[in-house]
Amino acid sequence: MSAVGAAECLSLLPCSVDYHAWDGTRAKGFQSLLTGHNQRLSYHQMSVENPGDCIMAGKPRLHYFNARGLMESIRWLLAAAGVEFEEEFIDTPEDFEKLKNDGSLIFQQVPMVEIDGMKLVQSRAILNYIAAKHNLYGKDIKERALIDMYIEGVADLNAKFRLLPVTPPDEKDAKITLIKESTTNRYLPAFEKVLKSHGQDYLVGNRLSRADIHLVELLYLVEELDPNLLANFPLLKALKARISNLPTVKKFLQPGSPRKPPVDEKILEKARKILKV
């Protein structure tokens, strides 16, 4: 399997799914979204004039591998917002097939989050909803534009880290060197400059936003690769400490929390088997 294919597996970008085919399963997925039907959880069905409008008792439920991937940022954001959640891990190919066949995955892919009577897929849509609901997405469209700009930069660097576990061994050292160079010469200086330019505690509007949370999640990845990479960025180090000491985040960082460990070969192999790649 190619490095790109394995990365798709880890990121839960769908592998071996025909996106152009409109089949019965996909049609069923749209029907499920519109009716709020769920065979595993109990919903209170609302009127047909409001398709998909239903009330789900309980916590958000996350459907994903027992791994970081694209769900980890969702875990971070929920945790920072103080939202308790449940996880239903996809442990076998049959688990994944069941989600696809019962109409739970409108685009045949995960992550999927059951929240407020919806089954949301597409990680950006999920993150946008959580951030907006919990006032972590700025006070106006200008602040939201800045937040989006910063989190796209975070995502660019995060994508480089996500490819690292599936890089062939003979290429890994060179890949690490490139990641370190782009981290210290391109991305971290940009975020340090933002904080220095306004002298405030947070990236946007002097209040906590999803941009801060996603950036701090990334800074932990940077430190896992090499703790020295943050040495020349005092404002980023201070931001990391500030966010990490928020009670909700501090709890998430403790052992035994839903936060997932770094990806290793065992996790990779299990993902390959589940997705049959």
Side-chain angles (χ1 to χ4, degrees):
M1 180 175 58
S2 69
V4 173
E8 288 178 341
C9 173
L10 262 188
S11 304
L12 291 182
L13 302 177
C15 306
S16 67
V17 174
D18 182 0
Y19 295 100
H20 303 288
W22 180 266
D23 54 21
T25 301
R26 179 150 326 162
K28 189 176 180 182
F30 276 95
Q31 182 181 14
S32 175
L33 181 67
L34 292 175
T35 61
H37 175 67
N38 187 334
Q39 296 178 353
R40 291 186 303 281
L41 294 178
S42 174
Y43 285 85
H44 175 64
Q45 189 66 43
M46 303 300 285
S47 67
V48 294
E49 286 79 15
N50 297 288
D53 185 8
C54 54
I55 299 172
M56 180 180 68
K59 306 170 185 176
R61 179 167 293 197
L62 282 51
H63 298 261
Y64 201 72
F65 295 138
N66 187 8
R68 286 182 177 178
L70 292 177
M71 188 65 89
E72 191 70 355
S73 291
I74 297 169
R75 297 183 185 108
W76 267 85
L77 194 58
L78 284 170
V83 179
E84 294 185 356
F85 55 86
E86 299 174 346
E87 301 200 68
E88 189 167 316
F89 297 126
I90 300 170
D91 287 326
T92 66
E94 291 73 25
D95 291 339
F96 192 40
E97 288 300 317
K98 183 180 179 184
L99 282 175
K100 291 192 292 184
N101 293 336
D102 72 7
S104 295
L105 306 179
I106 187 173
F107 297 122
Q108 305 289 292
Q109 66 195 65
V110 286
M112 188 267 281
V113 174
E114 298 183 71
I115 184 171
D116 294 342
M118 300 179 289
K119 296 180 181 180
L120 293 181
V121 296
Q122 300 292 357
S123 57
R124 288 183 184 178
I126 296 167
L127 290 165
N128 289 347
Y129 180 79
I130 295 167
K133 178 177 180 178
H134 296 285
N135 299 314
L136 294 168
Y137 214 168
K139 71 177 186 295
D140 54 37
I141 59 173
K142 287 186 176 180
E143 286 193 357
R144 182 167 294 194
L146 291 174
I147 290 169
D148 285 339
M149 180 172 69
Y150 298 148
I151 63 178
E152 288 300 320
V154 169
D156 287 347
L157 183 54
N158 207 343
K160 299 177 187 293
F161 279 87
R162 192 173 290 122
L163 282 172
L164 194 55
V166 296
T167 301
D170 60 338
E171 301 175 14
K172 185 158 288 190
D173 287 345
K175 178 71 72 174
I176 289 174
T177 297
L178 289 175
I179 290 175
K180 287 183 177 182
E181 288 177 354
S182 61
T183 296
T184 56
N185 297 333
R186 181 179 177 185
Y187 291 99
L188 296 192
F191 291 117
E192 184 83 2
K193 183 178 179 179
V194 171
L195 292 170
K196 186 176 181 179
S197 69
H198 54 51
Q200 298 172 343
D201 289 342
Y202 301 102
L203 286 170
V204 178
N206 201 26
R207 57 181 288 184
L208 180 68
S209 77
R210 60 179 297 197
D212 304 297
I213 297 162
H214 296 324
L215 177 56
V216 169
E217 178 193 357
L218 176 64
L219 295 180
Y220 274 93
L221 291 180
V222 169
E223 283 195 329
E224 286 176 0
L225 182 65
D226 184 346
N228 295 321
L229 294 178
L230 283 177
N232 296 323
F233 303 98
L235 298 181
L236 288 178
K237 290 170 66 176
L239 177 69
K240 177 175 174 287
R242 187 177 305 115
I243 302 301
S244 299
N245 281 314
L246 295 173
T248 54
V249 177
K250 190 172 184 178
K251 180 179 177 181
F252 184 67
L253 293 172
Q254 296 302 309
S257 82
R259 185 178 178 225
K260 301 299 181 275
V263 172
D264 57 21
E265 184 57 38
K266 184 178 180 180
I267 293 173
L268 275 175
E269 184 58 30
K270 184 172 184 178
R272 295 184 186 111
K273 288 180 179 178
I274 292 172
L275 292 179
K276 300 178 180 179
V277 295

